[in-house]
Amino acid sequence: MNELIGREKEIRSLTKWENSGRPEFVAIYGRRRVGKTFLVKKHFDERICFYVSGTYKGKRQVQLMNFAKELSDRTGKPFKSLKDWTTAFWALEDYLKQLPDDGSRKVIFLDELPWLETQRSGFVRSLDYFWNHYLSSRSDCMLVVCGSATSWMVNSLINDKGGLHNRITHEIHLNPFTLREMEMYMESQGFKWNRLLMLQTYMILGGIPYYLDMLDKDEPFSVNIDNLMFAEDAPLRTEFKRLYDSLFGKSEQYRAIISLLSKTEKGLTRKEISEKLKTKSGNLSEMLSDLVNCDFVRYYHIRKKKINVTQGIYQLTDFFTLFHYEYLAKRPTSGRFWTEHINSQKISSWQGRAFERVCMAHIDQIKYALHIDTVPTEYFSWRSEDPDMKAQIDMVIELDQGITHICEMKFDSHGDYELDKDEAEKIRRRMKAYSAQTKSKNGLRATLVTTYGLAKNVHSSTIDKLLTLDDLFCI
């Protein structure tokens, strides 16, 4: 990927902060492989006057050597080792003082910050001193830091209780590409795939630029998936463990949570997770928070019997991780597994579930298509607690203006979705149960999100509002 695609909101923010005329301290975090480094390097380009990246599992002296080598390359002076981080930031300060005082913005970029903070290294406290006692008075300087260990970025930097408390001037949580951004990227790379193929790709890889960059435009969709996932030397076949090991110190504990969540479609409460793992670990809440911050898990609420009572649920949402547990963890032996099974009932059922998750990841696009993006809304899932009126709704969008959308999500790769008698009755039963148990006074609208459209028949009038795949690509 050679050019900056999408990220329009982030680019506007970075441009605004760059031109603020004040010293800025910007923290960018998000899931590993999501494109944080690429965004910063491409946007600031030659305005970056100093760049160093942490080394995975590198000891303090290795990190300091990399820091010293960058200073040597920038200044043209002989390489000189640095004894600690205090000395390192003093040297960086001396270098910055020597740069021309021409009013141009000078960007200092520290990448993979959590890897720089090795055990008892004193890195954060030295960074704290560097910012507070020098850089915060330089209106021409902008410090940009990135990290994939999102929990560390949030807890140890952004929410630091020491000298960096409230020192971060701005933060960006960089999310995976949306479907629209993915389409823009793939078109820029010469792909001629239609939106259905892009959707099916998103179900597997999510909007992760690093993974999308591995696709080959000259190969069919199924061959691409086989080459990336199932072939003997497939580059993503062993990605799962590497991914979690690079983010979490005791990754086996995090993977145990992820494995458990992969076995349930709708998610589990913290209590259920604790009981099923048979653990009383005091740091379970912290680990769950870490997984949410790293975009692997979402924390959402299910409305209970009374409309103002909710229950917190943790649900696995990372597309690559879900695909790993669905297929790769079972170690299929065929290197052409996807090509051989793509039309099977098992994969068709999986695509139906994956489509629901894609819709949940595109709630903003759904609200935009419903023309409710500018009005106050709340969205959640709902489960009936009445044994005589069992029902479950995956997506409820509630407006302050007296309307509630009861959303159904149906994947059909062949054409317009045909609503039959049984499914129409299920929708009516869910709406009736929701109305009765929540006592909501809002008018209910049955809203269908599907791939192509809704076939006209005697049951199609059950649907009040129709959204298609194109609506998920709208913004």
Side-chain angles (χ1 to χ4, degrees):
M1 187 166 61
N2 297 317
E3 57 180 302
L4 195 53
I5 301 296
R7 307 305 193 195
E8 297 167 358
K9 177 182 177 182
E10 291 81 7
I11 290 171
R12 286 195 300 270
S13 295
L14 290 174
T15 301
K16 178 181 178 181
W17 303 333
E18 184 180 4
N19 297 323
S20 70
R22 300 188 300 270
E24 299 286 6
F25 190 167
V26 178
I28 303 176
Y29 56 93
R31 182 200 188 280
R32 185 152 167 74
R33 316 291 204 191
V34 82
K36 301 178 295 298
T37 302
F38 188 82
L39 169 65
V40 175
K41 284 189 170 182
K42 280 294 180 180
H43 177 75
F44 292 110
D45 197 18
E46 294 181 356
R47 277 111 63 201
I48 297 176
C49 65
F50 182 84
Y51 167 72
V52 71
S53 177
T55 300
Y56 177 52
K57 290 190 175 180
K59 294 186 177 181
R60 183 182 70 162
Q61 199 53 44
V62 172
Q63 314 286 4
L64 286 167
M65 286 176 64
N66 292 338
F67 198 97
K69 179 64 166 59
E70 172 70 3
L71 280 172
S72 178
D73 290 345
R74 294 280 179 176
T75 62
K77 296 179 179 180
F79 177 84
K80 183 179 180 181
S81 60
L82 300 165
K83 66 175 185 177
D84 53 35
W85 283 114
T86 298
T87 306
F89 282 110
W90 284 349
L92 178 56
E93 180 180 332
D94 289 340
Y95 159 65
L96 293 173
K97 288 177 179 177
Q98 296 170 17
L99 295 178
D101 185 13
D102 55 6
S104 62
R105 182 63 97 173
K106 300 168 181 61
V107 179
I108 301 96
F109 180 26
L110 306 181
D111 200 8
E112 290 299 356
L113 208 68
W115 293 349
L116 293 171
E117 172 72 322
T118 54
Q119 190 173 17
R120 293 188 294 274
S121 70
F123 172 80
V124 170
R125 296 285 69 89
S126 297
L127 176 64
D128 158 3
Y129 187 89
F130 174 64
W131 171 261
N132 286 317
H133 292 268
Y134 176 69
L135 214 57
S136 62
S137 62
R138 287 284 302 263
S139 61
D140 61 338
C141 285
M142 184 173 188
L143 176 60
V144 180
V145 298
C146 284
S148 299
T150 302
S151 56
W152 187 95
M153 292 289 290
V154 172
N155 298 326
S156 300
L157 185 73
I158 295 171
N159 295 333
D160 179 58
K161 303 302 182 184
L164 288 177
H165 181 63
N166 286 335
R167 295 301 188 265
I168 307 296
T169 57
H170 305 284
E171 60 185 90
I172 292 177
H173 184 176
L174 194 64
N175 295 301
F177 277 164
T178 63
L179 281 168
R180 176 175 174 269
E181 288 175 320
M182 174 186 172
E183 181 180 49
M184 292 168 61
Y185 163 73
M186 295 185 73
E187 288 179 347
S188 76
Q189 299 301 303
F191 283 83
K192 304 298 181 183
W193 292 4
N194 60 31
R195 285 182 167 179
L196 178 64
L197 287 177
M198 292 187 189
L199 169 66
Q200 291 172 312
T201 303
Y202 199 95
M203 291 174 177
I204 298 170
L205 301 178
I208 305 301
Y210 178 83
Y211 301 155
L212 298 175
D213 198 40
M214 295 182 177
L215 296 168
D216 185 345
K217 68 178 185 298
D218 297 320
E219 294 286 1
F221 163 71
S222 62
V223 174
N224 265 286
I225 300 307
D226 282 332
N227 290 343
L228 291 182
M229 302 288 196
F230 299 103
E232 185 176 349
D233 58 348
L236 295 182
R237 191 164 186 167
T238 56
E239 163 74 359
F240 173 77
K241 187 175 185 299
R242 290 198 306 266
L243 177 64
Y244 284 84
D245 284 350
S246 69
L247 293 173
F248 307 114
K250 298 180 179 179
S251 64
E252 65 280 359
Q253 296 181 15
Y254 289 87
R255 294 201 304 271
I257 297 172
I258 289 293
S259 178
L260 176 63
L261 292 177
S262 73
K263 297 178 175 65
T264 172
E265 286 292 320
K266 309 307 176 186
L268 299 168
T269 65
R270 185 199 179 285
K271 181 180 179 181
E272 289 170 335
I273 294 170
S274 179
E275 291 173 349
K276 290 179 182 294
L277 290 178
K278 296 181 172 56
T279 177
K280 296 182 179 180
S281 174
N283 63 349
L284 178 59
S285 294
E286 181 180 343
M287 288 191 292
L288 288 168
S289 178
D290 290 348
L291 290 168
V292 171
N293 286 334
C294 289
D295 293 321
F296 294 120
V297 169
R298 79 175 177 117
Y299 179 71
Y300 72 104
H301 289 92
I302 285 183
R303 282 285 176 89
K304 301 185 76 174
K305 198 164 186 178
K306 294 181 181 180
I307 195 166
N308 61 343
V309 177
T310 60
Q311 182 179 35
I313 301 289
Y314 292 93
Q315 181 189 38
L316 178 59
T317 54
D318 181 66
F319 291 94
F320 173 79
T321 301
L322 284 158
F323 187 83
H324 167 85
Y325 277 108
E326 187 74 26
Y327 296 106
L328 298 179
K330 299 169 185 176
R331 300 185 182 278
T333 56
S334 174
R336 300 182 68 251
F337 177 85
W338 205 247
T339 299
E340 293 167 352
H341 295 84
I342 193 168
N343 295 317
S344 68
Q345 181 57 45
K346 180 179 180 181
I347 287 182
S348 178
S349 297
W350 169 79
Q351 287 177 326
R353 300 192 302 273
F355 182 66
E356 292 181 8
R357 293 191 288 268
V358 172
C359 292
M360 295 301 295
H362 287 75
I363 184 67
D364 289 342
Q365 287 73 16
I366 290 173
K367 289 165 61 176
Y368 181 87
L370 291 171
H371 306 293
I372 59 174
D373 54 307
T374 59
V375 299
T377 58
E378 183 181 0
Y379 74 95
F380 49 88
S381 297
W382 178 81
R383 292 178 188 171
S384 167
E385 295 182 275
D386 188 335
D388 298 323
M389 195 177 279
K390 290 185 178 180
Q392 180 169 308
I393 303 170
D394 292 329
M395 184 189 292
V396 179
I397 306 177
E398 192 173 83
L399 284 71
D400 283 352
Q401 298 177 347
I403 295 176
T404 297
H405 289 273
I406 305 298
C407 299
E408 295 286 330
M409 294 155 280
K410 301 295 183 182
F411 176 81
D412 192 327
S413 62
H414 302 295
D416 291 347
Y417 176 72
E418 293 194 28
L419 186 65
D420 59 25
K421 179 180 179 181
D422 289 344
E423 193 60 39
E425 179 56 34
K426 287 180 183 177
I427 293 172
R428 287 191 288 268
R429 188 164 59 246
R430 290 169 190 150
M431 294 176 71
K432 181 179 179 181
Y434 179 83
S435 180
Q437 294 179 40
T438 64
K439 309 299 182 184
S440 173
K441 299 185 183 301
N442 279 9
L444 304 185
R445 301 286 185 271
T447 299
L448 175 67
V449 187
T450 188
T451 39
Y452 291 115
L454 178 65
K456 295 291 184 182
N457 60 25
V458 295
H459 306 294
S460 58
S461 60
T462 304
I463 301 301
D464 298 304
K465 187 68 178 178
L466 173 67
L467 302 183
T468 67
L469 180 57
D470 288 341
D471 292 309
L472 298 180
F473 282 81
C474 62
I475 57 173

